[in-house]
Amino acid sequence: MKFGGPLPEPSEPYWGQATSTIDWCEENYVVCKYIAEFWNTSTNLVFFALAIFGMYKVRATRQENRFLFCYVAMLVVGLGS
């Protein structure tokens, strides 16, 4: 994919045609036929990875559970967004 140029035509989706009536973030299936919103999914994976790392560090340094809860909330955002 070239940056700054026109977007390629969306490919035939692996999971079937999109049923949503509104596209909020980006066009569906432009980068990959398996992922509808590629960049949204990529940034959510960062949330997920940082939350897992944070939960590990909370347990490794024996911090209070309130800090663990913050990382669990971050994980939920990464999974649900």
Side-chain angles (χ1 to χ4, degrees):
M1 180 172 160
K2 294 180 184 178
F3 292 102
L7 293 174
E9 288 296 317
S11 60
E12 182 64 31
Y14 179 79
W15 306 106
Q17 291 298 324
T19 58
S20 175
T21 57
I22 299 174
D23 272 340
W24 291 104
C25 299
E26 59 188 290
E27 290 186 53
N28 293 330
Y29 302 105
V30 172
V31 176
C32 175
K33 72 178 187 176
Y34 300 105
I35 301 172
E37 294 179 345
F38 182 80
W39 296 111
N40 187 30
T41 302
S42 299
T43 57
N44 288 344
L45 290 175
V46 173
F47 270 84
F48 185 80
L50 290 174
I52 295 293
F53 178 72
M55 288 188 289
Y56 165 75
K57 292 301 282 183
V58 166
R59 286 297 175 206
T61 57
R62 298 176 189 217
Q63 295 179 13
E64 296 177 23
N65 284 336
R66 64 184 168 141
F67 297 109
L68 182 66
F69 175 75
C70 292
Y71 286 112
V72 168
M74 187 175 174
L75 180 78
V76 170
V77 169
L79 290 174
S81 173

